[in-house]
Amino acid sequence: MKSEYLLLDKVEGPLIALSGVADVAYDEMVEINIGGKKRKGKVIQLYEDKAIVQVFENTTGISIHNASISFTGKPLMIPLSREILGRVFNGTGDPIDDAGDIFAEKTYDVNGRPINPVARLYPRNFIQTGISSIDCLTTLIRGQKLPIFSGSGMPHNELAAQIVRQARLSEDSNEEFAIVFAAMGVKHDDADFFIKNFERSGVLGKVVMYLNLADAPIVERIITPRCALTAAEYLAFELEMQVLVIMTDMTSYCEALREISSSREEVPSRKGYPGYLYSDLASLYERAGMMKGKNGSITQIPILTMPNDDITHPVPDLTGYITEGQIVLKRDLFQKDIYPPVDILSSLSRLMKDGIGEGYTREDHAELSNQIFSAYSHVQDVLALSQVIGEDELSEADKKYMEFGRQFEESFIKQGFDENRSIAETLDLGWKLLSILPKDELNRVSPEILDKYYKG
Amino acid sequence: MEIPTGVISYINGPVIKAKKMSEFKMREMVTVGSKKLIGEIISLEGESATIQVYEETSGIKIGEPVAATGHPLSIKLGPGIIGGIFDGIERPLNKINNISEGFISEGIGLISIDTEKLYDVNLSVSKGDLLCQGEIFGEVNETPLVINKLMVPPEIEGRVIEVVRNGKYNIETPLVKLETSSGEIVDLKASQEWPARIPRPIEKRLATDKPIVTGQRVIDTFFPLAKGGTAAIPGGFGTGKTMMQHQLAKWSDADIIVYIGCGERGNEMTEVLEDFPKLIDPKSNRPLMERTVLIANTSNMPVAAREASIYTGITIAEYYRDMGYHVAIMADSTSRWAEALREISGRLEKMPAEEGYPAYLPSRLAEFYERAGYVSTLGEREGSVSIIGAVSPAGGDFSEPVTENTKRFVGAFWGLDRKLAYSRHYPAINWLSSYSGYVGQLAEWYDENVAEDMMQLRANMLKLLFEENKLQEIVKLVGEDVLPDDQRLILEVSKLIKVGFLQQNAFHKEDSYVPLKKQYLMLKVIDTMYRRGSSAVKLGIPISIIRNEEIYSKVIKIKYNIPNNRLDMFYDILEEINQFYDRLEAQYA
């Protein structure tokens, strides 16, 4: 029989402290019973007979003697079975959709364990999203973690929803796919938007949702992505499904982490975020990937809003160091009414190099994308110059670059929310636009490819 | 004798404290709790000790035991290291994968290189020989590329009193018995142990006057690194640090590569693991994996082991250096290591200095980079350890503490530039902010081994690029057309340097690695273009004619069109350029 503790030393923010405890393990789950209502928490620090417990829901209404605390002896475990598909859970993995509890033979530790690099399989399979700027220039690969860096008000949710709807995770229709959706601190409307879109694309039965909405307790927000990724690992590596994980909004997650860190009086590093923010984010993002001997995969699309559209803010900065590239949305394009407003120059897919070209997409893909990057980056210089000296004064070649830049944004980057372009269409469109430029400007392309595809 | 044991009294993530620890020593390795996690003592105060734990501490309880191992964090050095992949404290990840499949679990204990495997041992000493420290007493073929020379460990000397016959032995079998001057008997094995945090002793340091040839033009020609030197590659995310490190690990002419994946992506280690066995070393025709060691502490593996991984890597490097090899270490990324220091010092509630980093950050960085060097080893062999450390500055801002302090201790600085990376100019090394302090020392080598005017050409090109940068400021304001022709020529030739020389395609079979001779000839061609071009300008020939499209695009494509083994083709190109300008000058004369 586990003992119950009835007296607390301290209640502060999301933390409670109690003393006189024995046989308590670091990181174990705690149940807090207040007049019959249960809350959950976990042990975050132990010092002799004192324990500090972080409460997942809030501490409102807890006094130093109205709660009874019992230690469960286990870290947070969630039950998982095939039944989770189509279900909705709260941030700590309890069902909130009135369809009853999950009954499963096995429960899983939400903290997971690091995948051994030796057991990983290097991701190489191209995922067609039907979005030109992504497919051609920041190609998504199965098993990749590719975040969307956005800013408030920009259409990152639409982009994510379009990817979910159009992404063909595999050519092989026998493979099962699933979507895990983790919402951290997002608004009710945003969550509804996703649910409606899942419904619209007919995948609702394949979606597992973990919702910690903006008004839900912040400590629970720390657990939400961990529950979601544990479910994703189960689906991918035990049921061998192709899993796409959408996590939004990582900035809220990091802010929750900072809030807790400051209430624990930890030494802050940049912008008040804790020094372990990098390790903590890595413990989430690194749970994407593929493993040897397993058919499943976890592809992650975390969404984060860059405070003040600043890509050097710690959250996008540290994320970019961990993830395998990023899709950056740019306000300038958004204001020009270009959807999706993908800033291709700062966007990047690190795994693209091994998943494109002959046998994956098409032989000209790599060189074409290189040339587009190089040309579009020159367009920026020309634009800056034309603002000083006027467009008429530009050289002939630079005028062509201006034209290329305009058409590229209007017809390549811009596409409809329902428009699904195949990779061949996208690449052909790319060549059509590059053909605006004189042939000798295209020095990133080998002569053979140029002769074959240049249309000028 | 009873093993000293303490009792856990405090747990906070990877930092724990224990009581009854007076028998323990500073920096001693300990096992923590009933799961026997591995940890290291980082401070002692009275009866209590602070321990950093190299594994997840989840589930550990107050009152569980802490047991001593009697020795500091030590690395087992012997055959079996090359070709392997290890975690931050030299535990083989393959073996861990056999024990706990797929995921890394805690409590695996202290395992190290294979002690069962039998190697063919050739001994070169006989009874009665006097052996000094560092002397070689035998050989083992570790991989087809690397002969492991069995050395007498440092601080051991004596007369051989017993030698086993040549044959198959594992690394724990005593092979030679030595009697020291004090009459002590010491067994020599194929393996030895060394505390990771202490540099292995050497005879003396030598000058660093030979380059590491990497086949990467911007490095070999513009910012070379000496064998035994140190270099830093700072760059924000997406600027190509890891690509650069991979290229260097593949192509540099070191004998042995130690690749430390410190707090980086799991898939990057997997990529090396999948690629390197398939890549063939051009010199020996053997897979590159046969000269490579990987140390992997990916970003989701425990943070304390990340701190140790750097020391594990460099100790392994020093061990092979002592055999007389040239070793290059790629540390990707030292910022993650610095952050691990910060995280641990934060948990210890130490007073932070800049941006939360501990005040001892500069001294730790200095200690690490100073372990590089070109040396005469114990036993008087020549070997070197070169360090190439990636730095991941927060926000891509080079004024943050890790980049700033690293700059103070490295000889070469290859600054990666986000703007170049955005326009897919790879390698994105910025030629204006980068430097190499080795140019002076290496000049003689280049004179003798490449060409006498190599360094002169290098200086010419850098000067052009520097002038171009100033001109670009003007171009941004008024456009290119209004510049005088001699300045427009500088812009055109700089474009040749940038696109035709500095940009290098890691995925192109001819361009991925370029021999020094070809680098020299490419410079020669570009230099000719400039010299002939400027005399043509002086004759009043308009730039639009001097900048002949056909010739210019031919020069840009030299890197692809002239194979590395057909350097004679350069003479045709040079001939063609000279003829073109001769004709022009004749026309306008």
Side-chain angles (χ1 to χ4, degrees), chain A residues 404-423:
Chain A
F404 165 77
R406 256 191 299 266
Q407 289 205 26
F408 178 76
E409 286 174 5
E410 280 299 323
S411 62
F412 190 91
I413 298 185
K414 185 173 183 170
Q415 73 183 82
F417 180 57
D418 290 308
E419 191 179 349
N420 190 352
R421 297 182 193 153
S422 75
I423 182 69

Side-chain angles (χ1 to χ4, degrees), chain A residues 26-27 46 48 278 317 321 353, chain B residues 9 13 58-60 263 271 393 395:
Chain A
Y26 180 70
D27 211 29
L46 285 168
E48 296 190 334
Y278 179 82
D317 191 48
Y321 276 122
K353 60 186 166 52
Chain B
S9 64
S58 199
I60 297 288
E271 186 185 359

Side-chain angles (χ1 to χ4, degrees), chain A residues 23-28 44-48 75 111 113-124 137 143 145 149 233 237 264 266-270 275-276 278-279 282-283 286 289 291-292 311-312 316-318 320-324 326 344-348 350-351 353-354 370 373-374 377 381 385 388-389 393 395 440 442-445 447, chain B residues 9-13 19 57-62 85 93-94 96-97 102-106 235-238 241 243 263-271 273-275 278 296 298-301 303 306 336 339 342-343 346-347 349-350 352 355-356 392-396 418-419 422-426 475-479 481 499 503 507 549 556-557:
Chain A
D23 202 29
V24 173
Y26 180 70
D27 211 29
E28 83 172 274
I44 56 162
Q45 191 172 321
L46 285 168
Y47 179 56
E48 296 190 334
N111 289 313
R113 279 184 167 145
I115 301 180
N116 192 328
V118 171
R120 278 184 188 269
L121 192 66
Y122 190 70
R124 292 177 197 277
L137 302 166
K145 38 193 179 290
F149 287 9
E233 279 170 1
F237 302 132
R264 286 172 70 177
E266 289 171 336
V267 180
S269 69
R270 258 202 335 144
Y276 50 79
Y278 179 82
S279 306
S283 72
E286 278 289 326
M291 289 172 75
K292 281 183 189 141
I311 200 171
T312 64
D317 191 48
L318 295 179
Y321 276 122
I322 306 164
T323 53
E324 284 138 352
Q326 65 276 342
I344 63 157
L345 294 179
S346 52
S347 301
L348 171 77
R350 290 164 191 274
L351 299 183
K353 60 186 166 52
D354 296 302
N370 247 327
F373 280 126
S374 151
S377 122
D381 293 340
L385 182 61
V388 181
I389 63 172
E393 299 295 315
S395 68
D440 55 27
L442 308 182
N443 53 30
R444 300 291 177 97
V445 189
Chain B
S9 64
Y10 169 91
I11 309 170
N12 179 4
K19 291 188 297 190
T57 49
S58 199
I60 297 288
K61 293 175 179 171
I62 299 289
I85 176 168
L93 286 173
N94 281 317
I96 292 180
N97 200 33
F103 298 91
I104 298 172
S105 64
E106 55 277 1
F237 62 85
K241 284 183 302 297
M243 264 313 289
E264 289 289 307
R265 305 175 184 86
N267 275 333
E268 282 169 1
M269 297 315 290
T270 312
E271 186 185 359
L273 273 180
E274 286 187 14
D275 279 1
K278 284 184 243 155
T298 58
S299 54
N300 54 344
M301 284 157 79
V303 66
R306 188 168 313 154
R336 305 297 161 231
E339 279 162 15
R342 171 167 76 184
E343 188 171 335
R347 302 244 189 204
E349 289 165 6
K350 287 215 177 126
E355 292 197 16
S392 319
R418 190 168 262 170
K419 195 153 177 289
Y422 281 179
S423 61
R424 300 322 191 246
H425 172 116
Y426 288 127
V475 171
K476 268 187 207 139
L477 294 175
V478 295
D481 292 346
V499 183
Q503 281 180 21
F507 306 112
E549 191 51 53
I556 281 185
K557 293 199 167 126

Side-chain angles (χ1 to χ4, degrees), chain A residues 21-33:
Chain A
V21 299
D23 202 29
V24 173
Y26 180 70
D27 211 29
E28 83 172 274
M29 283 299 294
V30 179
E31 266 184 17
I32 302 139
N33 194 329

Side-chain angles (χ1 to χ4, degrees), chain B residues 373-487:
Chain B
Y374 198 106
V375 304
S376 167
T377 66
L378 298 179
E380 293 181 2
R381 289 171 294 273
E382 273 190 21
S384 69
V385 172
S386 318
I387 300 179
I388 300 163
V391 184
S392 319
D397 170 14
F398 289 0
S399 65
E400 56 91 47
V402 183
T403 321
E404 273 300 317
N405 286 308
T406 303
K407 245 179 153 168
R408 291 163 52 202
F409 308 118
V410 296
F413 184 82
W414 303 326
L416 297 176
D417 189 304
R418 190 168 262 170
K419 195 153 177 289
L420 292 176
Y422 281 179
S423 61
R424 300 322 191 246
H425 172 116
Y426 288 127
I429 294 180
N430 183 313
W431 49 90
L432 297 169
S433 67
S434 303
Y435 56 81
S436 164
Y438 300 106
V439 175
Q441 297 166 56
L442 296 173
E444 204 176 318
W445 189 93
Y446 278 91
D447 285 353
E448 279 167 24
N449 295 281
V450 190
E452 276 184 0
D453 56 344
M454 174 83 172
M455 285 291 130
Q456 186 56 47
L457 287 178
R458 167 188 185 272
N460 293 353
M461 297 297 136
L462 277 176
K463 195 165 150 249
L464 277 183
L465 288 170
F466 185 68
E467 278 176 33
E468 186 247 14
N469 183 55
K470 279 192 295 185
L471 291 177
Q472 285 294 354
E473 298 290 311
I474 306 172
V475 171
K476 268 187 207 139
L477 294 175
V478 295
E480 202 178 308
D481 292 346
V482 297
L483 292 182
D485 278 1
D486 60 333
Q487 296 191 336

Side-chain angles (χ1 to χ4, degrees), chain A residues 174-226:
Chain A
N174 290 331
E175 288 187 324
E176 270 192 283
F177 79 97
I179 293 157
V180 175
F181 179 72
M184 290 157 281
V186 301
K187 293 179 293 188
H188 284 266
D189 335 351
D190 289 339
D192 285 344
F193 170 84
F194 275 105
I195 295 169
K196 282 217 183 71
N197 264 285
F198 292 145
E199 213 168 332
R200 210 184 116 199
S201 25
V203 292
L204 206 53
K206 293 280 184 191
V207 182
V208 191
M209 276 186 263
Y210 291 87
L211 302 181
N212 169 277
L213 300 176
D215 54 356
I218 58 138
V219 184
E220 192 183 294
R221 203 162 294 164
I222 307 299
I223 304 296
T224 312
R226 294 187 162 79

